[in-house]
Amino acid sequence: KTGKQVRDKIKNAGKFGPIWGGVLGVMPQCGFSAAASSLYAGRVITVGTLLAIFLSTSDEMLPIMLSESVPLPSILKILGVKVVIACISGLVIEMIYLNVMKKKEKDMDIHVVCEEEHCHCEDGIFLSALKHTIRIFVYILIIAGILHLVIEGIGEDTLAGVLTNVPVLGEVVAALVGLIPNCASSVILTELYLSGAINFASVISGLLTGSGIAILVLFK
């Protein structure tokens, strides 16, 4: 219901685009970040706004945490940290991009981009939501099974020690996992965090780099 209004707000945000991108990008699922990629391709939004949205979005993290009955303060802490980092980073990147690198956005016909953008809701809200739910259920089932086998084989204490006790390693690995252009990456990171295999810093690192399929839209 709010999808169009959110996109319009981002498009009309001007110099405050990175702030609105960081705040509104926190909505779950990768649809908004994918739409932002198309808006950037048409030069409707700036690079700072785009990256603020990428950093803010958490893809499937929020639905999974809600389904796992994670305490609300813990969820809000993760979302809050991501929003703050996204807003600040977006503004800094915007300033560097426009004032230091002296790069200006080129004009481009947005109508062509908009005609190619698909919302994947052709079958109605209920059926589209059902398909999405089934797909995520399969992801969680497969990935959770693999994670449990890996953790069982390596040992939970050993794995947690490698990812949390070795300086920077856990955060770097989590960030690389987050770059996988698929909602599976956010599922993996969330499941590892909830199982205690990675710490707060690592899950934040991975969720910051994760933007769902938005990177693929940019390549397209």
Side-chain angles (χ1 to χ4, degrees):
K1 181 174 178 62
T2 60
K4 185 179 184 302
Q5 289 91 328
V6 169
R7 288 194 295 274
D8 289 343
K9 188 66 181 178
I10 291 294
K11 285 191 288 187
N12 299 321
K15 62 182 180 181
F16 297 106
I19 295 177
W20 280 109
V23 173
L24 299 177
V26 79
M27 294 189 304
Q29 301 181 15
C30 59
F32 184 45
S33 58
S37 294
S38 290
L39 292 174
Y40 173 72
R43 298 303 187 263
V44 175
I45 62 175
T46 61
V47 65
T49 302
L50 177 73
L51 292 176
I53 293 171
F54 280 9
L55 290 168
S56 180
T57 188
S58 301
D59 209 1
E60 302 302 334
M61 181 275 287
L62 184 56
I64 293 173
M65 285 196 168
L66 290 175
S67 69
E68 295 278 357
S69 299
V70 175
L72 185 59
S74 297
I75 297 176
L76 293 178
K77 182 170 69 171
I78 293 176
L79 295 179
V81 168
K82 282 171 59 62
V83 167
V84 170
I85 291 175
C87 291
I88 294 175
S89 299
L91 289 171
V92 171
I93 291 166
E94 189 84 344
M95 182 181 66
I96 294 174
Y97 189 76
L98 294 177
N99 299 325
V100 179
M101 298 175 68
K102 305 296 182 184
K103 297 211 175 202
K104 301 296 181 182
E105 304 290 356
K106 297 179 181 179
D107 292 332
M108 187 175 182
D109 188 8
I110 186 58
H111 300 294
V112 177
V113 179
C114 288
E115 288 174 2
E116 296 178 353
E117 180 66 23
H118 301 289
C119 66
H120 303 293
C121 293
E122 300 87 355
D123 300 321
I125 294 176
F126 176 77
L127 192 55
S128 296
L130 180 63
K131 289 180 179 178
H132 182 81
T133 301
I134 293 173
R135 185 164 62 249
I136 297 304
F137 168 75
V138 173
Y139 274 133
I140 294 175
L141 182 65
I142 294 174
I143 292 170
I146 293 174
L147 287 175
H148 283 304
L149 287 174
V150 171
I151 292 173
E152 185 71 23
I154 298 177
E156 187 171 336
D157 293 337
T158 303
L159 181 60
V162 171
L163 292 175
T164 59
N165 294 333
V166 180
V168 185
L169 178 61
E171 288 75 16
V172 171
V173 172
L176 292 174
V177 171
L179 285 175
I180 299 172
N182 193 298
C183 62
S185 60
S186 61
V187 175
I188 292 172
L189 292 165
T190 305
E191 290 286 350
L192 283 173
Y193 176 68
L194 294 178
S195 69
I198 60 175
N199 59 20
F200 181 80
S202 294
V203 75
I204 287 293
S205 178
L207 292 176
L208 282 170
T209 58
S211 58
I213 62 169
I215 297 293
L216 294 182
V217 176
L218 283 182
F219 276 109
K220 178 177 180 296

